[in-house]
Amino acid sequence: MSMRPVGLPGIPEQTVVVARAAFPKGSLAIRVRDQLAEVFADEPFVEAFGVRGAPGLSPGVLSLVTVLQFAEDLTDRQAAAMAVRAIDWKYALGAELTDTGFDASVLSKFRARLADNGMERVVFDRLLEHCKDAGLVAAGGKQRTDSTHVISAVRDLNRLELAGESVRAALEALAVAAPLWLAGQIDVTEFAERYGPRVDGWRMPPSQTKRDRLAQVFGQDALALCRAAWADDAPVWIRQIEAVHLLRQVLVQTYIIRSDSRGRQVIKKRDADDGVPPGQLRLASPYDADARWAAKGDDLFWMGYKIHLTETCSTLPDADADADADADADAVAGAEAAAGVMPNLITDVHTTDATVPDVKATAPIQRKLAAHGVKPTEHYLDSGYPSADLITKALGQGIRMVTPVLLDRSAQAKAAEGFDKNAFTINWKTRQVRCPAGKTSSHWNPVKQHGTDAIVITFSVLTCRECPFQKQCTTSQTGRRMLTLRPEELHENLARARAEQKTDTWKNKYALRAGVEGTINQALDVTGIRRARYRGLPKVRLQHAFSATALNVIRLDAHWTTGPLDRTRHSRLERLNYRLSA
């Protein structure tokens, strides 16, 4: 397939006349074409298409179709049908009224081409640049971030189902790619009976003994298939088939091979004592190598991914504004009132597998915001995103993180009894700590803990043993107090943040973060962002990038047509009163 960069075609005159007559007030698709045509260009996609071969559909047109598809939460077939029968879509795409459209499979191939070439965010980034040029978003000001879980597009499997379904997936792939080789390695009749229908817990034997035996059979079949694929006389490309490669990973994470008393190799399903790979490495499905199991709290347990959305929440960004905590209350109120003048636009969308904690996403999100020229002055986040290192690093880059930090987790702080870290006086120059009883520490040891710098402070046993406050200070068996501190700058920033978040001024200010929950809800309702449409992290990232683009288009359309959204919910009686008084 080749491409000739031409961009969106001109709108036929007859299409214009009919569309204007059918939609005298316009529609989302019509306004997107009129206002954002330059966003959907062909040039950014040149590297993903060849220069020879039959010409394909314009990637600018297909990207516009995809944005409209997500804006209306349509399937590929529904989107292809809309391109044929919807007059406003024909206007947006520059199509004749008699145009018969395209096959729905074109959209799938287009997404695959974008994902394979790392172009998932092209349209999102171009729209963001357009909004920057239009003055709708800029560096400085306030932005807020939140995350939500995303359920994968494959079914949930327990460990036994995963073992059997992985063998089945490899057999299905080999039956297509290497049928003759496969027939020479297995008893096709026996394996077809065992792995013909999908492996499902409803069809498995009820007794635990028979299930254990079935697990062993799955393991033996997987081991035999892997040994055949990695044999010296097997074609090299056999083991490069994705399903075969994943089967080997599932075999290693699910089973262990041991020698019995007679020296024979026996395959056994792993239990807790044998150990299993960590969650970020453990495969959850043979059909989606990137989906992972994760948990949040006691109630949420899912397989899939996680998405972080960042949006603006102010409309008069001031890159020079310091946004001090002691800012005049009237000025803050005026800034918040001004926040409704312009639309809140999504400035970044960040997708990871489900096991990545929020704190690992903070730095990448802020780097991308800075790279696109929309770095905020204040960044509002919940307690899962900050750390002392991140707060300090962000301050050095001109970003103030408005976020609750974790409080002191020492036993004294939890019990609200005795002396927590705040009760000790630290002298960073002399590298000593003075306790509430007036005694000084005996050791100051810089160390590395979990890859980060820390300082372990130790008081002498002789000093603590004779102290009248010992029971209030420590419960250690050695009878002496120990403290673990971060380096000076990190410690001071963390202490300042902990003290600040207890004030009413900070709490009132932090209330601004709650608005991002509405954005998450809008993403769920409009684009179905909580369920992955596709398999694999690259395509899920593409889905989320187009979902965020669609949300921005919807918000821009509301801004063009109605101005700032009236967030007040009026009753029918109030509306009647307004009409009568008009």
Side-chain angles (χ1 to χ4, degrees):
M1 181 184 296
S2 64
M3 184 192 73
R4 311 290 188 269
V6 294
L8 296 180
I11 307 173
E13 182 178 352
Q14 187 178 11
T15 302
V16 173
V17 173
V18 175
R20 296 298 183 191
F23 298 91
K25 295 183 179 180
S27 71
L28 173 67
I30 291 175
R31 285 185 287 271
V32 167
R33 174 57 192 259
D34 291 340
Q35 302 277 356
L36 303 174
E38 64 185 48
V39 173
F40 303 97
D42 287 345
E43 287 78 5
F45 303 98
V46 168
E47 295 182 0
F49 291 81
V51 296
R52 297 181 179 180
L57 289 176
S58 161
V61 170
L62 292 178
S63 62
L64 176 54
V65 170
T66 306
V67 170
L68 295 176
Q69 173 187 4
F70 278 87
E72 300 189 26
D73 196 17
L74 305 176
T75 65
D76 287 353
R77 291 184 182 276
Q78 290 171 333
M82 288 290 284
V84 176
R85 69 185 183 214
I87 295 176
D88 57 340
W89 278 48
K90 285 184 177 292
Y91 179 97
L93 303 178
E96 296 281 357
L97 294 178
T98 56
D99 189 282
T100 57
F102 51 83
D103 189 81
S105 62
V106 172
L107 293 174
S108 175
K109 295 176 182 178
F110 173 65
R111 291 192 300 268
R113 191 175 290 268
L114 295 187
D116 292 342
N117 289 274
M119 294 183 173
E120 303 93 342
R121 285 174 55 110
V122 167
V123 178
F124 176 82
D125 291 340
R126 284 183 63 83
L127 180 58
L128 187 61
E129 287 296 321
H130 175 86
C131 293
K132 283 176 56 182
D133 295 340
L136 298 175
V137 63
K142 304 174 183 179
Q143 295 187 34
R144 52 198 178 194
T145 299
D146 199 12
S147 66
T148 189
H149 64 283
V150 179
I151 301 171
S152 65
V154 294
R155 66 188 175 104
D156 297 346
L157 301 173
N158 59 38
R159 294 180 65 208
L160 181 56
E161 291 172 326
L162 175 61
E165 194 64 24
S166 297
V167 177
R168 180 175 178 269
L171 291 172
E172 290 291 309
L174 290 169
V176 175
L180 296 180
W181 178 88
L182 181 63
Q185 304 298 324
I186 65 170
D187 185 337
V188 176
T189 302
E190 178 184 351
F191 275 64
E193 181 179 356
R194 188 178 305 150
Y195 299 104
R198 74 176 189 175
V199 178
D200 196 318
W202 293 101
R203 299 188 181 96
M204 290 184 181
S207 71
Q208 186 60 46
T209 301
K210 292 183 178 180
R211 282 176 175 260
D212 292 341
R213 172 56 187 161
L214 184 60
Q216 190 173 10
V217 171
F218 288 158
Q220 291 171 344
D221 292 343
L223 180 60
L225 204 55
C226 287
R227 283 178 172 172
W230 269 266
D232 294 337
D233 58 345
V236 176
W237 58 269
I238 290 288
R239 66 198 69 158
Q240 295 175 346
I241 298 174
E242 183 182 23
V244 176
H245 178 71
L246 295 180
L247 173 63
R248 190 185 193 190
Q249 289 184 248
V250 173
L251 177 64
V252 171
Q253 77 180 35
T254 309
Y255 295 93
I256 187 169
I257 300 175
R258 293 174 174 169
S259 298
D260 61 9
S261 58
R262 298 182 181 181
R264 296 176 302 180
Q265 284 190 336
V266 178
I267 188 167
K268 173 182 175 292
K269 188 179 178 183
R270 288 181 181 269
D271 53 30
D273 295 333
D274 299 317
V276 293
Q280 63 267 31
L281 300 178
R282 191 163 60 246
L283 291 176
S285 171
Y287 304 110
D288 189 341
D290 298 322
R292 294 291 184 269
W293 283 106
K296 185 175 182 180
D298 298 328
D299 302 325
L300 181 58
F301 187 54
W302 82 99
M303 182 179 74
Y305 304 90
K306 185 185 290 186
I307 180 175
H308 305 260
L309 291 177
T310 303
E311 68 169 357
T312 59
C313 51
S314 63
T315 57
L316 297 177
D318 184 3
D320 298 326
D322 192 24
D324 292 329
D326 58 352
D328 181 77
D330 292 337
V332 173
E336 298 300 333
V341 175
M342 304 295 281
N344 292 336
L345 298 177
I346 297 173
T347 53
D348 185 69
V349 53
H350 184 71
T351 306
T352 67
D353 71 68
T355 62
V356 178
D358 290 351
V359 70
K360 295 293 185 181
T362 307
I365 290 172
Q366 292 177 347
R367 281 198 301 268
K368 286 189 289 183
L369 293 175
H372 288 93
V374 291
K375 180 177 68 176
T377 301
E378 291 185 348
H379 195 183
Y380 291 74
L381 310 109
D382 65 25
S383 60
Y385 288 92
S387 69
D389 301 82
L390 291 171
I391 292 173
T392 302
K393 185 177 179 180
L395 281 174
Q397 298 172 347
I399 302 175
R400 184 176 184 182
M401 293 172 59
V402 183
T403 172
V405 297
L406 295 178
L407 300 177
D408 186 356
R409 306 303 295 171
S410 64
Q412 294 83 356
K414 289 181 180 179
E417 296 180 357
F419 305 124
D420 60 12
K421 291 180 183 179
N422 292 331
F424 292 78
T425 304
I426 305 170
N427 191 323
W428 297 97
K429 292 183 178 180
T430 62
R431 302 176 69 171
Q432 285 185 322
V433 175
R434 184 178 297 275
C435 74
K439 306 297 182 180
T440 57
S441 60
S442 58
H443 296 89
W444 179 290
N445 299 318
V447 297
K448 283 278 188 180
Q449 291 185 345
H450 307 292
T452 60
D453 294 326
I455 302 168
V456 176
I457 311 297
T458 309
F459 285 81
S460 171
V461 175
L462 298 177
T463 299
C464 292
R465 185 176 298 167
E466 299 176 357
C467 180
F469 304 109
Q470 183 191 34
K471 292 184 178 180
Q472 295 175 259
C473 191
T474 181
T475 57
S476 67
Q477 294 181 351
T478 59
R480 64 179 180 178
R481 181 65 185 266
M482 298 179 65
L483 298 174
T484 301
L485 307 177
R486 301 304 308 275
E488 182 177 4
E489 184 180 11
L490 303 183
H491 176 84
E492 296 295 340
N493 288 335
L494 195 58
R496 189 183 306 112
R498 284 172 174 168
E500 186 182 29
Q501 71 188 41
K502 296 179 181 179
T503 65
D504 292 337
T505 301
W506 185 92
K507 292 176 182 178
N508 293 333
K509 183 178 185 178
Y510 183 66
L512 183 63
R513 191 212 69 88
V516 73
E517 303 285 353
T519 296
I520 296 290
N521 189 62
Q522 184 185 27
L524 301 181
D525 292 342
V526 176
T527 67
I529 207 169
R530 179 156 289 165
R531 288 193 173 273
R533 291 186 175 211
Y534 320 117
R535 302 176 185 176
L537 186 55
K539 287 189 177 181
V540 175
R541 282 177 174 157
L542 180 144
Q543 173 191 346
H544 292 165
F546 274 103
S547 295
T549 306
L551 290 181
N552 277 346
V553 165
I554 292 171
R555 293 182 173 192
L556 287 171
D557 183 60
H559 175 68
W560 296 329
T561 55
T562 62
L565 294 179
D566 183 2
R567 301 181 185 276
T568 304
R569 185 171 295 176
H570 298 292
S571 69
R572 292 181 176 84
L573 183 60
E574 288 176 313
R575 295 173 187 172
L576 175 60
N577 182 47
Y578 293 152
R579 288 200 301 269
L580 295 177
S581 61

